């Protein structure tokens, strides 16, 4: 049996379980801090962690779906499922932001001085450190495996850390200046920041669903391989198109070779090109079309791509 050209997708669901565990831990810690202090800023922080839990569960489901092999109903596989996870996570971030903003406005209208701020802040710091460590692990693995789901979850957790830092500063100022209004102001700023993060996640996911071109680095990798094989007037490539679907990239290209070549010679050359491209970028799934370089009809479809 020949070695398969394309490696099967990796199961990254263990990282979603890590995210779920982190969310449960931070919910418990931040919820306790909010209950002890009565701070709306710390309550807003705990609310975002609840959204983290929902998002992590969605990520777990999507990561399991995305690695399913192609079938009759999904002939290009299921990798685009990762975009739906990121969209859902973006919407959940909006929900958390709305809750935080509403709570902040209510507290601005009716200020209440938080209590036991020292203990509450220490508990919240512990929760933030936990979130920061998990976000780093998820982001590193997401970049390595090009998993939009893990990257989105990491960004969500990182936003939680930034929000927590802002809340901690704000609540600390409340203790210093004994002004309950600052608690609500900080929570309001955190809510607006969270809403912006949700908008960016949704925008990136929609771009993926619309088959946006991959990064300039990915395009450059492909072009470098093709350029090494070009021979002016003898061998060329055109109609090169790439699209991303989660952790995979799908590529179409036309390979132009001399008409005098045999079918086998042209086929073998095309297979070599595909192998080189996959070696340079293992996420590629390639469909190639062989054409005679001297035939004018070989260039009729260039204007369409």
């Amino acid at each position: 049996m020949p070695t398969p050209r394309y490696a099967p997708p990796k199961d990254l669901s263990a990282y979603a379980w890590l995210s779920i565990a982190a969310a449960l831990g931070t919910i418990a810690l931040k919820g306790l801090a909010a209950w002890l202090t009565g701070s709306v800023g710390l309550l807003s922080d705990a609310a975002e962690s609840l959204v983290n839990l929902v998002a992590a569960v969605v990520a777990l489901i999507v990561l399991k779906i995305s690695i399913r092999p192609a079938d009759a109903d999904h002939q290009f596989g299921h990798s685009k499922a990762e975009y739906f996870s990121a969209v859902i996570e973006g919407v959940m971030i909006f929900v958390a932001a709305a809750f935080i903003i509403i709570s902040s406005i209510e507290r601005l209208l009716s200020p209440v001085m938080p209590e036991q701020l020292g203990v509450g802040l220490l508990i919240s710091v512990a929760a933030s450190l936990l979130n920061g460590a998990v976000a780093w692990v998820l982001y590193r693995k997401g970049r390595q495996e090009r998993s939009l789901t893990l990257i989105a979850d990491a960004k969500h957790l990182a936003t939680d850390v930034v929000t927590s830092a802002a809340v901690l500063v704000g609540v600390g100022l409340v203790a210093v200046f004994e002004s309950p209004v600052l608690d609500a102001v900080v929570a309001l700023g955190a809510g607006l920041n969270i809403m912006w993060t949700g908008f960016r996640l949704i925008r990136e996911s929609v771009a993926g669903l619309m088959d946006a071109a991959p990064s300039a680095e990915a395009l450059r990798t492909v072009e470098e391989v093709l350029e090494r094989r070009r021979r002016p007037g003898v061998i060329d490539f055109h109609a090169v198109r790439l699209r991303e679907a989660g952790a995979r990239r799908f590529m179409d290209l036309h390979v132009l070779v001399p008409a005098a070549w045999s079918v086998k010679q042209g086929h073998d050359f095309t297979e070599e090109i595909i192998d080189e491209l996959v070696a340079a970028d293992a996420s590629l799934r390639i469909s190639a079309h062989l054409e005679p370089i001297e035939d004018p009809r070989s260039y009729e479809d260039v204007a369409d791509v």
Side-chain angles (χ1 to χ4, degrees):
M1 287 289 292
T3 303
R5 169 177 282 152
Y6 301 123
K10 295 181 180 179
D11 185 354
L12 301 175
S13 58
Y15 292 89
W17 282 113
L18 175 62
S19 184
I20 290 172
L24 290 171
T26 53
I27 287 170
L29 291 170
K30 292 182 179 181
L32 176 61
W35 178 72
L36 287 173
T37 62
S39 165
V40 70
L42 293 177
L43 178 62
S44 69
D45 211 9
E48 189 179 3
S49 294
L50 184 60
V51 176
N52 289 348
L53 176 61
V54 176
V57 172
V58 171
L60 174 63
I61 296 170
V62 167
L63 286 171
K64 285 293 188 182
I65 293 173
S66 66
I67 62 173
R68 291 177 182 173
D71 53 35
D73 295 325
H74 305 88
Q75 297 182 6
F76 288 91
H78 298 76
S79 55
K80 270 197 173 182
E82 292 207 42
Y83 293 115
F84 292 99
S85 171
V87 168
I88 293 171
E89 190 154 348
V91 171
M92 292 303 299
I93 290 175
F94 265 102
V95 172
F99 172 80
I100 294 169
I101 291 170
I102 292 171
S103 299
S104 304
I105 293 173
E106 289 177 350
R107 191 56 65 92
L108 276 172
L109 297 175
S110 302
V112 176
M113 188 66 187
E115 302 175 356
Q116 301 187 63
L117 287 176
V119 176
L121 289 175
L122 286 175
I123 295 173
S124 189
V125 166
S128 297
L129 291 174
L130 174 62
N131 264 346
V134 174
W136 181 80
V137 171
L138 294 183
Y139 188 76
R140 184 179 179 184
K141 191 64 177 180
R143 287 292 300 271
Q144 180 183 339
E145 302 295 341
R146 294 188 50 255
S147 170
L148 183 63
T149 299
L150 290 184
I151 292 174
D153 212 12
K155 286 183 176 180
H156 194 164
L157 290 175
T159 300
D160 195 11
V161 174
V162 173
T163 302
S164 297
V167 168
L168 291 173
V169 171
V171 173
L173 291 175
V174 171
V176 172
F177 295 103
E178 297 185 353
S179 173
V181 174
L182 288 175
D183 183 36
V185 171
V186 168
L188 181 60
L192 293 173
N193 178 61
I194 293 168
M195 188 168 285
W196 172 245
T197 299
F199 169 75
R200 286 190 301 163
L201 273 179
I202 293 173
R203 182 180 61 186
E204 291 172 7
S205 302
V206 169
L209 291 171
M210 291 295 293
D211 288 334
S215 66
E217 180 182 357
L219 295 173
R220 186 166 54 250
T221 297
V222 166
E223 185 55 36
E224 286 174 354
V225 173
L226 299 181
E227 190 60 35
R228 288 198 299 267
R229 288 288 197 155
R230 279 193 173 96
R231 292 168 56 192
V234 180
I235 296 172
D236 204 353
F237 309 93
H238 67 207
V240 179
R241 294 179 293 181
L242 284 88
R243 65 180 177 88
E244 291 194 335
R248 295 180 181 176
R249 294 190 178 108
F250 291 92
M251 177 180 176
D252 297 324
L253 81 157
H254 292 188
V255 182
L256 294 96
V257 299
W261 281 16
S262 67
V263 173
K264 183 179 187 309
Q265 188 176 3
H267 175 263
D268 288 347
F269 176 79
T270 302
E271 291 296 304
E272 291 173 7
I273 293 296
I274 293 175
D275 285 339
E276 289 181 22
L277 288 166
V278 174
D281 184 349
S283 69
L284 285 173
R285 302 294 184 269
I286 302 169
S287 177
H289 176 63
L290 190 63
E291 297 178 317
I293 195 168
E294 303 93 341
D295 189 348
R297 295 188 63 186
S298 298
Y299 304 88
E300 289 177 354
D301 51 6
V302 174
D304 296 330
V305 294

PDB file of all heavy atoms in Angstrom, residues 146-173:
ATOM      1  N   ARG A 146      -3.247  25.552  12.857  1.00  0.00           N
ATOM      2  CA  ARG A 146      -4.141  26.406  12.082  1.00  0.00           C
ATOM      3  C   ARG A 146      -5.609  26.103  12.384  1.00  0.00           C
ATOM      4  O   ARG A 146      -6.451  25.976  11.490  1.00  0.00           O
ATOM      5  CB  ARG A 146      -3.870  26.264  10.580  1.00  0.00           C
ATOM      6  CG  ARG A 146      -2.505  26.780  10.160  1.00  0.00           C
ATOM      7  CD  ARG A 146      -2.304  26.812   8.667  1.00  0.00           C
ATOM      8  NE  ARG A 146      -3.396  27.478   8.000  1.00  0.00           N
ATOM      9  CZ  ARG A 146      -4.362  26.852   7.312  1.00  0.00           C
ATOM     10  NH1 ARG A 146      -4.362  25.553   7.206  1.00  0.00           N
ATOM     11  NH2 ARG A 146      -5.309  27.538   6.734  1.00  0.00           N
ATOM     12  N   SER A 147      -5.924  25.990  13.674  1.00  0.00           N
ATOM     13  CA  SER A 147      -7.288  25.736  14.123  1.00  0.00           C
ATOM     14  C   SER A 147      -7.934  27.041  14.542  1.00  0.00           C
ATOM     15  O   SER A 147      -7.578  27.629  15.565  1.00  0.00           O
ATOM     16  CB  SER A 147      -7.293  24.749  15.294  1.00  0.00           C
ATOM     17  OG  SER A 147      -8.580  24.676  15.877  1.00  0.00           O
ATOM     18  N   LEU A 148      -8.907  27.507  13.738  1.00  0.00           N
ATOM     19  CA  LEU A 148      -9.595  28.757  14.063  1.00  0.00           C
ATOM     20  C   LEU A 148     -10.351  28.636  15.378  1.00  0.00           C
ATOM     21  O   LEU A 148     -10.475  29.602  16.128  1.00  0.00           O
ATOM     22  CB  LEU A 148     -10.548  29.132  12.931  1.00  0.00           C
ATOM     23  CG  LEU A 148     -11.298  30.454  13.090  1.00  0.00           C
ATOM     24  CD1 LEU A 148     -10.324  31.618  13.129  1.00  0.00           C
ATOM     25  CD2 LEU A 148     -12.307  30.658  11.978  1.00  0.00           C
ATOM     26  N   THR A 149     -10.862  27.438  15.670  1.00  0.00           N
ATOM     27  CA  THR A 149     -11.610  27.235  16.905  1.00  0.00           C
ATOM     28  C   THR A 149     -10.726  27.476  18.125  1.00  0.00           C
ATOM     29  O   THR A 149     -11.119  28.186  19.061  1.00  0.00           O
ATOM     30  CB  THR A 149     -12.184  25.807  16.953  1.00  0.00           C
ATOM     31  OG1 THR A 149     -13.080  25.631  15.851  1.00  0.00           O
ATOM     32  CG2 THR A 149     -12.933  25.563  18.253  1.00  0.00           C
ATOM     33  N   LEU A 150      -9.529  26.890  18.140  1.00  0.00           N
ATOM     34  CA  LEU A 150      -8.629  27.076  19.281  1.00  0.00           C
ATOM     35  C   LEU A 150      -8.137  28.510  19.371  1.00  0.00           C
ATOM     36  O   LEU A 150      -8.016  29.070  20.464  1.00  0.00           O
ATOM     37  CB  LEU A 150      -7.437  26.116  19.186  1.00  0.00           C
ATOM     38  CG  LEU A 150      -7.723  24.626  19.403  1.00  0.00           C
ATOM     39  CD1 LEU A 150      -6.419  23.831  19.380  1.00  0.00           C
ATOM     40  CD2 LEU A 150      -8.456  24.397  20.720  1.00  0.00           C
ATOM     41  N   ILE A 151      -7.852  29.120  18.222  1.00  0.00           N
ATOM     42  CA  ILE A 151      -7.394  30.513  18.230  1.00  0.00           C
ATOM     43  C   ILE A 151      -8.492  31.427  18.767  1.00  0.00           C
ATOM     44  O   ILE A 151      -8.230  32.333  19.571  1.00  0.00           O
ATOM     45  CB  ILE A 151      -6.967  30.948  16.819  1.00  0.00           C
ATOM     46  CG1 ILE A 151      -5.690  30.193  16.399  1.00  0.00           C
ATOM     47  CG2 ILE A 151      -6.740  32.454  16.757  1.00  0.00           C
ATOM     48  CD1 ILE A 151      -5.274  30.441  14.970  1.00  0.00           C
ATOM     49  N   ALA A 152      -9.742  31.194  18.331  1.00  0.00           N
ATOM     50  CA  ALA A 152     -10.860  32.007  18.806  1.00  0.00           C
ATOM     51  C   ALA A 152     -11.043  31.843  20.313  1.00  0.00           C
ATOM     52  O   ALA A 152     -11.258  32.820  21.048  1.00  0.00           O
ATOM     53  CB  ALA A 152     -12.143  31.618  18.069  1.00  0.00           C
ATOM     54  N   ASP A 153     -10.946  30.600  20.787  1.00  0.00           N
ATOM     55  CA  ASP A 153     -11.089  30.354  22.220  1.00  0.00           C
ATOM     56  C   ASP A 153      -9.952  31.015  22.997  1.00  0.00           C
ATOM     57  O   ASP A 153     -10.161  31.589  24.077  1.00  0.00           O
ATOM     58  CB  ASP A 153     -11.098  28.844  22.469  1.00  0.00           C
ATOM     59  CG  ASP A 153     -11.968  28.467  23.668  1.00  0.00           C
ATOM     60  OD1 ASP A 153     -12.715  29.329  24.141  1.00  0.00           O
ATOM     61  OD2 ASP A 153     -11.889  27.308  24.114  1.00  0.00           O
ATOM     62  N   ALA A 154      -8.740  30.956  22.440  1.00  0.00           N
ATOM     63  CA  ALA A 154      -7.597  31.594  23.101  1.00  0.00           C
ATOM     64  C   ALA A 154      -7.778  33.107  23.170  1.00  0.00           C
ATOM     65  O   ALA A 154      -7.500  33.732  24.195  1.00  0.00           O
ATOM     66  CB  ALA A 154      -6.311  31.253  22.352  1.00  0.00           C
ATOM     67  N   LYS A 155      -8.254  33.698  22.070  1.00  0.00           N
ATOM     68  CA  LYS A 155      -8.484  35.149  22.060  1.00  0.00           C
ATOM     69  C   LYS A 155      -9.549  35.527  23.072  1.00  0.00           C
ATOM     70  O   LYS A 155      -9.457  36.570  23.741  1.00  0.00           O
ATOM     71  CB  LYS A 155      -8.888  35.607  20.658  1.00  0.00           C
ATOM     72  CG  LYS A 155      -7.742  35.624  19.662  1.00  0.00           C
ATOM     73  CD  LYS A 155      -8.202  36.171  18.318  1.00  0.00           C
ATOM     74  CE  LYS A 155      -7.040  36.272  17.342  1.00  0.00           C
ATOM     75  NZ  LYS A 155      -7.471  36.802  16.022  1.00  0.00           N
ATOM     76  N   HIS A 156     -10.569  34.674  23.171  1.00  0.00           N
ATOM     77  CA  HIS A 156     -11.632  34.936  24.137  1.00  0.00           C
ATOM     78  C   HIS A 156     -11.072  34.937  25.557  1.00  0.00           C
ATOM     79  O   HIS A 156     -11.340  35.829  26.361  1.00  0.00           O
ATOM     80  CB  HIS A 156     -12.713  33.866  23.984  1.00  0.00           C
ATOM     81  CG  HIS A 156     -14.000  34.214  24.673  1.00  0.00           C
ATOM     82  ND1 HIS A 156     -15.185  33.584  24.423  1.00  0.00           N
ATOM     83  CD2 HIS A 156     -14.287  35.139  25.614  1.00  0.00           C
ATOM     84  CE1 HIS A 156     -16.131  34.100  25.172  1.00  0.00           C
ATOM     85  NE2 HIS A 156     -15.606  35.044  25.905  1.00  0.00           N
ATOM     86  N   LEU A 157     -10.263  33.928  25.864  1.00  0.00           N
ATOM     87  CA  LEU A 157      -9.671  33.855  27.201  1.00  0.00           C
ATOM     88  C   LEU A 157      -8.698  35.003  27.447  1.00  0.00           C
ATOM     89  O   LEU A 157      -8.635  35.545  28.553  1.00  0.00           O
ATOM     90  CB  LEU A 157      -8.954  32.515  27.377  1.00  0.00           C
ATOM     91  CG  LEU A 157      -9.846  31.269  27.471  1.00  0.00           C
ATOM     92  CD1 LEU A 157      -8.999  30.015  27.526  1.00  0.00           C
ATOM     93  CD2 LEU A 157     -10.762  31.344  28.680  1.00  0.00           C
ATOM     94  N   ALA A 158      -7.945  35.369  26.397  1.00  0.00           N
ATOM     95  CA  ALA A 158      -7.010  36.492  26.544  1.00  0.00           C
ATOM     96  C   ALA A 158      -7.757  37.788  26.813  1.00  0.00           C
ATOM     97  O   ALA A 158      -7.322  38.626  27.618  1.00  0.00           O
ATOM     98  CB  ALA A 158      -6.155  36.625  25.287  1.00  0.00           C
ATOM     99  N   THR A 159      -8.898  37.948  26.127  1.00  0.00           N
ATOM    100  CA  THR A 159      -9.731  39.127  26.381  1.00  0.00           C
ATOM    101  C   THR A 159     -10.232  39.123  27.811  1.00  0.00           C
ATOM    102  O   THR A 159     -10.301  40.163  28.472  1.00  0.00           O
ATOM    103  CB  THR A 159     -10.938  39.134  25.417  1.00  0.00           C
ATOM    104  OG1 THR A 159     -10.460  39.162  24.080  1.00  0.00           O
ATOM    105  CG2 THR A 159     -11.811  40.347  25.655  1.00  0.00           C
ATOM    106  N   ASP A 160     -10.569  37.942  28.297  1.00  0.00           N
ATOM    107  CA  ASP A 160     -11.002  37.807  29.688  1.00  0.00           C
ATOM    108  C   ASP A 160      -9.907  38.254  30.644  1.00  0.00           C
ATOM    109  O   ASP A 160     -10.165  38.922  31.648  1.00  0.00           O
ATOM    110  CB  ASP A 160     -11.376  36.344  29.946  1.00  0.00           C
ATOM    111  CG  ASP A 160     -12.169  36.166  31.234  1.00  0.00           C
ATOM    112  OD1 ASP A 160     -12.603  37.184  31.795  1.00  0.00           O
ATOM    113  OD2 ASP A 160     -12.348  35.023  31.676  1.00  0.00           O
ATOM    114  N   VAL A 161      -8.655  37.900  30.312  1.00  0.00           N
ATOM    115  CA  VAL A 161      -7.532  38.302  31.165  1.00  0.00           C
ATOM    116  C   VAL A 161      -7.364  39.827  31.163  1.00  0.00           C
ATOM    117  O   VAL A 161      -7.175  40.447  32.210  1.00  0.00           O
ATOM    118  CB  VAL A 161      -6.228  37.624  30.696  1.00  0.00           C
ATOM    119  CG1 VAL A 161      -5.031  38.160  31.480  1.00  0.00           C
ATOM    120  CG2 VAL A 161      -6.323  36.105  30.870  1.00  0.00           C
ATOM    121  N   VAL A 162      -7.446  40.422  29.953  1.00  0.00           N
ATOM    122  CA  VAL A 162      -7.321  41.880  29.851  1.00  0.00           C
ATOM    123  C   VAL A 162      -8.441  42.567  30.618  1.00  0.00           C
ATOM    124  O   VAL A 162      -8.228  43.546  31.351  1.00  0.00           O
ATOM    125  CB  VAL A 162      -7.338  42.309  28.371  1.00  0.00           C
ATOM    126  CG1 VAL A 162      -7.394  43.828  28.251  1.00  0.00           C
ATOM    127  CG2 VAL A 162      -6.105  41.775  27.653  1.00  0.00           C
ATOM    128  N   THR A 163      -9.659  42.037  30.433  1.00  0.00           N
ATOM    129  CA  THR A 163     -10.807  42.605  31.145  1.00  0.00           C
ATOM    130  C   THR A 163     -10.608  42.492  32.654  1.00  0.00           C
ATOM    131  O   THR A 163     -10.878  43.437  33.405  1.00  0.00           O
ATOM    132  CB  THR A 163     -12.095  41.867  30.733  1.00  0.00           C
ATOM    133  OG1 THR A 163     -12.259  41.962  29.330  1.00  0.00           O
ATOM    134  CG2 THR A 163     -13.309  42.475  31.417  1.00  0.00           C
ATOM    135  N   SER A 164     -10.132  41.329  33.088  1.00  0.00           N
ATOM    136  CA  SER A 164      -9.909  41.130  34.521  1.00  0.00           C
ATOM    137  C   SER A 164      -8.883  42.114  35.064  1.00  0.00           C
ATOM    138  O   SER A 164      -9.045  42.649  36.167  1.00  0.00           O
ATOM    139  CB  SER A 164      -9.430  39.691  34.777  1.00  0.00           C
ATOM    140  OG  SER A 164     -10.417  38.761  34.402  1.00  0.00           O
ATOM    141  N   ALA A 165      -7.821  42.346  34.264  1.00  0.00           N
ATOM    142  CA  ALA A 165      -6.795  43.295  34.696  1.00  0.00           C
ATOM    143  C   ALA A 165      -7.390  44.692  34.865  1.00  0.00           C
ATOM    144  O   ALA A 165      -7.114  45.391  35.854  1.00  0.00           O
ATOM    145  CB  ALA A 165      -5.647  43.317  33.696  1.00  0.00           C
ATOM    146  N   ALA A 166      -8.217  45.086  33.880  1.00  0.00           N
ATOM    147  CA  ALA A 166      -8.861  46.408  33.963  1.00  0.00           C
ATOM    148  C   ALA A 166      -9.790  46.492  35.166  1.00  0.00           C
ATOM    149  O   ALA A 166      -9.826  47.503  35.882  1.00  0.00           O
ATOM    150  CB  ALA A 166      -9.632  46.677  32.670  1.00  0.00           C
ATOM    151  N   VAL A 167     -10.539  45.414  35.386  1.00  0.00           N
ATOM    152  CA  VAL A 167     -11.456  45.387  36.527  1.00  0.00           C
ATOM    153  C   VAL A 167     -10.682  45.461  37.846  1.00  0.00           C
ATOM    154  O   VAL A 167     -11.067  46.190  38.774  1.00  0.00           O
ATOM    155  CB  VAL A 167     -12.324  44.110  36.477  1.00  0.00           C
ATOM    156  CG1 VAL A 167     -13.073  43.917  37.800  1.00  0.00           C
ATOM    157  CG2 VAL A 167     -13.308  44.188  35.323  1.00  0.00           C
ATOM    158  N   LEU A 168      -9.571  44.733  37.916  1.00  0.00           N
ATOM    159  CA  LEU A 168      -8.774  44.751  39.143  1.00  0.00           C
ATOM    160  C   LEU A 168      -8.233  46.145  39.437  1.00  0.00           C
ATOM    161  O   LEU A 168      -8.246  46.601  40.583  1.00  0.00           O
ATOM    162  CB  LEU A 168      -7.625  43.751  39.026  1.00  0.00           C
ATOM    163  CG  LEU A 168      -8.017  42.267  39.025  1.00  0.00           C
ATOM    164  CD1 LEU A 168      -6.804  41.395  38.722  1.00  0.00           C
ATOM    165  CD2 LEU A 168      -8.612  41.880  40.378  1.00  0.00           C
ATOM    166  N   VAL A 169      -7.765  46.812  38.384  1.00  0.00           N
ATOM    167  CA  VAL A 169      -7.272  48.190  38.560  1.00  0.00           C
ATOM    168  C   VAL A 169      -8.409  49.093  39.038  1.00  0.00           C
ATOM    169  O   VAL A 169      -8.252  49.899  39.968  1.00  0.00           O
ATOM    170  CB  VAL A 169      -6.667  48.719  37.246  1.00  0.00           C
ATOM    171  CG1 VAL A 169      -6.372  50.211  37.371  1.00  0.00           C
ATOM    172  CG2 VAL A 169      -5.401  47.952  36.899  1.00  0.00           C
ATOM    173  N   GLY A 170      -9.569  48.937  38.361  1.00  0.00           N
ATOM    174  CA  GLY A 170     -10.708  49.780  38.716  1.00  0.00           C
ATOM    175  C   GLY A 170     -11.186  49.547  40.134  1.00  0.00           C
ATOM    176  O   GLY A 170     -11.436  50.505  40.888  1.00  0.00           O
ATOM    177  N   VAL A 171     -11.307  48.287  40.519  1.00  0.00           N
ATOM    178  CA  VAL A 171     -11.775  47.978  41.864  1.00  0.00           C
ATOM    179  C   VAL A 171     -10.729  48.432  42.896  1.00  0.00           C
ATOM    180  O   VAL A 171     -11.073  48.876  43.995  1.00  0.00           O
ATOM    181  CB  VAL A 171     -12.070  46.468  41.993  1.00  0.00           C
ATOM    182  CG1 VAL A 171     -12.403  46.105  43.435  1.00  0.00           C
ATOM    183  CG2 VAL A 171     -13.228  46.080  41.081  1.00  0.00           C
ATOM    184  N   GLY A 172      -9.451  48.314  42.513  1.00  0.00           N
ATOM    185  CA  GLY A 172      -8.405  48.823  43.395  1.00  0.00           C
ATOM    186  C   GLY A 172      -8.541  50.326  43.620  1.00  0.00           C
ATOM    187  O   GLY A 172      -8.366  50.823  44.733  1.00  0.00           O
ATOM    188  N   LEU A 173      -8.876  51.056  42.547  1.00  0.00           N
ATOM    189  CA  LEU A 173      -9.085  52.508  42.671  1.00  0.00           C
ATOM    190  C   LEU A 173     -10.299  52.827  43.541  1.00  0.00           C
ATOM    191  O   LEU A 173     -10.312  53.833  44.259  1.00  0.00           O
ATOM    192  CB  LEU A 173      -9.264  53.126  41.277  1.00  0.00           C
ATOM    193  CG  LEU A 173      -8.019  53.131  40.379  1.00  0.00           C
ATOM    194  CD1 LEU A 173      -8.362  53.650  38.989  1.00  0.00           C
ATOM    195  CD2 LEU A 173      -6.915  53.989  40.999  1.00  0.00           C
TER     196      LEU A 173
END
